[in-house]
Amino acid sequence: MMEFLSVLWFFLIFLLIAGYFVLDGFDLGIGTLSPFIAKNDEERAILRRSIGPVWDGNEVWLLTAGGALFAAFPDAYATTFSGFYLAVMLVLFGLIVRAVSFEFGAGDPHWRKLWDACFFVGSLLPALLLGVAVGNIFAGIPMDAIGDYVGMPLFGLITPFTLLTGLLGLSMFLAAGASWAALKTPLDSELRARAIALRMPLQVVSLVLFVIVSIYALILIGPDMDANLSVLRILFAVLVVAGLVVAMIVGKLQDNDLKSFLAQSASMIALVALLACSMFPVLVNATPDSIGPAITIYNAASSELSLACMSIILCIGLPLVLAYHVIIYRTFRGRISAADLKH
Amino acid sequence: MEAFADVALLSRIQFALTVAYHFLFVPLSIGLGLILAINETRYYRSRKPEDAAATKFWVKIFTATFAIGVATGITMEFSFGTNWANYSRFVGDIFGAPLAAEALFAFFLESVFLGVLLFGRKRVSPKFYMVSAWLVWFGSCLSALWILIANSWMQTPAGAELNAEGTEAIITNFWEAAFNPSIFARYTHTVDALLIMGAFAAMAVAGWYMLKGRNKDFAMKTMRIAAVVGIVSSCAMIVFAHASAVNVWEEQPTKLAMMEGMYDSEVPPLYAIGIVDEESQEVIAPFAIPGGTSFLATGNFETEYPGLNELAQTEQFGDMNVEDLPVGLVFQSYHIMVAMYGLIMLTAILVLIFSFKGARIQKMRWLQWAAVLSPIWPFVAIQTGWITAEVGRQPWVVYPSMSGPEGVSLLTNDAISMSVSSVELWITLALFVLVYLILLIGWIRVVGRFIKEGPIVEAGAVKEGE
């Protein structure tokens, strides 16, 4: 039972991360793209309005993933959050200023520029650094016997590999943002034309970065990967590529923004699934010179009772959460119109 | 110089600063959430455009406040891992679940239905809109429940045992851990305080409009709603505060001793004001009711209670160094909180009487001013109350309470992140001060503007939703 629960929670954590990357991913993308595709106040308002009703709920996926990691694998939570201290703080400050920039920007014309800047920086920092963090737990960090990070603060976390994973994350978020913008902006607007013009190039960049990161990852920790999951890894790698390619094709040839956005999102889910299957059963890898061992589901999991309680909480909570999302996305479906901006 | 490099101290300062700041906005949003929901229910019944305008007014203020509460709340969830890694390792088996449950059950509910409130007036039915307002408030109360479960478990651990290596607290019973000995008293005490905060904030807005002679109808309606919520929550507080005090008496003897400045065992008297001389270990007070605290806690004037020096001799509290305890801070925080309650009750009664009997408050400028200033009392009470609760359990972060399982306790100094240096802490402390200051100014500007604008009745809104 313990074995089953540990494995289950390993994949559930990644499921929550996938939920966050897919949903808040396009919010972060919109925020980062905003200064480049919105040329006036009205266009900026349309972009903000496109994520206005949903961004907060989307962000809760991150809090859920963080809480679940704390509950299910406390050692992994403690090591990563304290080890990546300054990087986590930068993500945090980004999320903080982004959250308030929404509500404050609309109500304070004199400080609009400041809040617009906060919206951009607050989206860019998480969009870039989340990928860097994933790169680090994937490639490994030096730890002492208890599992405390012993490398150099912040700069020790930046390597060619983690920079590439950061850029891959960023490009995937930006592509999702462009897809969402294309889906929600008025049909014949210049804003939509600019979003579409960026969508495909961003998808191509994501594809190229994905291939590079995959090869690099295989060289780095390829031999350590769980052999039983190799079929799944190949499947998910194919799905990442297929999702992006389909997103490009339906976006370009059929001009179908919804299908393109969904394919883009599927590609993101496949990417997180691939990550999970490549790391299993490791949560935080250790570098070769590390004193402490890698943090795995076998040495970091909470007790059986704790995991069982968490499973019950999730069984009750997740259907509710999905229902809320159906309600909110249905209520606010369709493109933004001029009337919507008067709120 | 040592203090500059003391990671435990800096981590505590950072946590205290960020949590106190977070707790400026959470009480306002939970308190105002109720005012908002009551308003929307009034609109649902009346369908008058001015009631819709009132809801919209509160939604705007609520949202600005909620946003900053959400944003600064992320800090709190992250900080257990970033600054208190050893704490996280010690309690993860128990403490993580309520945090995850809070996000799953409460945060999603609040954020999704706030989206409806903000953008959905014309997209959903009036009934759905009203239900959304109540769901947002319900969600915020639920989130308070989960986070207070987590916090109360640190004050009075239960449903847990120490693992064989002595390195982790392991859960043995989920319900005992969740419904630990202090949760009911602390939840009701805290949430009731937040409702008082919301009512007084609404009073202040209404009082300001009365002073300016603007939005007369809205001001009077708001004053009445606030007066009712204010008096009910203030009266209920007598019961809840008493239950909390009794709980501290039973479970956390060192905290109680610090609250009353008791270094040596005695029958605790009741002080209204006083100063703790930490050198000579005495309370200097102009007057005291002998045995008063004893009476409040146990019903008789003669129950003796152990002082800090005696408690420090016991095995349970032996890790405590009496000279280092911030007794004066806890004593003052506690007594200021109680004094504030006196002002709260007085304001609530006056506003209630003069809001309803012929609405005489409309002509009483001094009472209007009192209403404008009134949020200061619950605000100070809430902050000092939390200082009492959190500083009072030092030097432990997981307190060795009387009914707690043996060995399940952790000293604050042993709870820190070993991989975080004092330099990194100084950097983030500076950033927190800077960013939080800008947010505060931004919030004041936005909310100030909303209040200046007042509720705006939309032309053509009469037919809407019918």
Side-chain angles (χ1 to χ4, degrees), chain B residues 162-174:
Chain B
L162 201 63
N163 71 349
E165 298 85 27
T167 52
E168 274 175 49
I170 301 294
I171 194 165
T172 54
N173 184 322
F174 177 81

Side-chain angles (χ1 to χ4, degrees), chain A residues 175-192:
Chain A
S179 299
W180 183 255
L183 176 64
K184 299 298 283 186
T185 47
L187 203 51
D188 295 318
S189 63
E190 284 177 39
L191 183 57
R192 176 164 176 262

Side-chain angles (χ1 to χ4, degrees), chain A residues 277-302:
Chain A
C277 292
S278 307
M279 290 193 65
F280 183 82
V282 175
L283 288 152
V284 184
N285 255 317
T287 47
D289 61 336
S290 175
I291 298 162
I295 296 173
T296 70
I297 63 167
Y298 302 110
N299 62 20
S302 284

Side-chain angles (χ1 to χ4, degrees), chain A residues 56-57 59 63 67 71 77 79 81-82 85 96 103 107-108 111 148-149 302-303 305-306 321 324 328 331 340 343, chain B residues 14 63 66-67 71 74 77 81-83 89 93 96-97 103 108-109 111-112 118-119 123 172 418-419 428 445 449:
Chain A
D56 193 0
E59 193 180 273
L63 294 176
Y77 169 77
T79 294
F81 278 64
S82 68
Y85 186 72
I96 289 174
E103 319 302 346
D108 195 344
W111 277 26
D148 281 319
Y149 173 70
S302 284
S303 66
L305 178 60
S306 184
V321 169
Y324 302 153
I328 195 91
T331 304
D340 288 323
H343 104 87
Chain B
Q14 182 164 302
T63 310
F66 183 81
I74 313 170
E77 200 207 50
T82 51
N83 293 91
R89 292 186 179 110
D93 206 60
F108 276 117
L109 187 68
S111 52
V112 163
L118 262 177
F119 300 101
R123 286 191 178 239
T172 54
M418 302 306 286
S419 59
T428 53
R445 286 174 60 95
R449 223 177 80 101

Side-chain angles (χ1 to χ4, degrees), chain A residues 16 48-49 52-64 66-68 70-72 74-75 77-79 81-83 85-86 88-93 95-97 99-100 103-111 114-115 144 146-150 153-154 301-307 309-310 312-314 316-318 320-321 324-325 327-328 330-337 340 342-343, chain B residues 14 56 63-68 70-101 103-105 107-120 122-124 128 146 168 170-174 417-421 424-425 427-429 431-432 435-436 438-446 449-450 458:
Chain A
L16 294 171
R48 269 205 300 269
R49 176 63 181 72
V54 295
W55 74 268
D56 193 0
N58 295 343
E59 193 180 273
V60 177
W61 286 87
L62 179 66
L63 294 176
T64 313
F70 190 175
D75 293 354
Y77 169 77
T79 294
F81 278 64
S82 68
Y85 186 72
L86 288 176
V88 172
M89 286 294 169
L90 286 176
V91 171
L92 175 67
F93 285 117
L95 294 174
I96 289 174
V97 297
V100 296
E103 319 302 346
F104 289 9
D108 195 344
H110 297 292
W111 277 26
L114 171 75
W115 298 124
D144 66 11
I146 309 171
D148 281 319
Y149 173 70
V150 291
L154 194 61
S302 284
S303 66
E304 189 174 325
L305 178 60
S306 184
L307 292 178
C309 292
M310 284 292 293
I312 294 168
I313 289 172
L314 196 79
I316 303 167
L318 204 56
L320 286 173
V321 169
Y324 302 153
H325 278 72
I327 291 172
I328 195 91
R330 271 188 62 85
T331 304
F332 296 99
R333 65 185 177 276
R335 291 178 187 278
I336 313 294
S337 67
D340 288 323
K342 282 204 309 176
H343 104 87
Chain B
Q14 182 164 302
K56 194 169 169 186
T63 310
T65 312
F66 183 81
I68 195 165
V70 167
T72 54
I74 313 170
T75 310
M76 303 335 299
E77 200 207 50
F78 281 16
S79 67
F80 301 114
T82 51
N83 293 91
W84 305 98
N86 282 344
Y87 169 78
S88 300
R89 292 186 179 110
F90 184 77
V91 300
D93 206 60
I94 297 153
F95 196 82
L99 292 190
L104 268 175
F105 294 134
F107 291 160
F108 276 117
L109 187 68
E110 285 175 272
S111 52
V112 163
F113 288 97
L114 181 62
V116 174
L117 286 190
L118 262 177
F119 300 101
K122 297 198 169 95
R123 286 191 178 239
V124 300
F128 189 94
W146 286 106
E168 274 175 49
I170 301 294
I171 194 165
T172 54
N173 184 322
F174 177 81
S417 295
M418 302 306 286
S419 59
V420 176
S421 65
E424 288 170 272
L425 265 159
I427 293 171
T428 53
L429 252 176
L431 276 170
F432 272 118
V435 173
Y436 278 16
I438 294 172
L439 297 196
L440 181 64
I441 299 170
W443 181 80
I444 292 171
R445 286 174 60 95
V446 171
R449 223 177 80 101
F450 290 154
E458 276 178 49

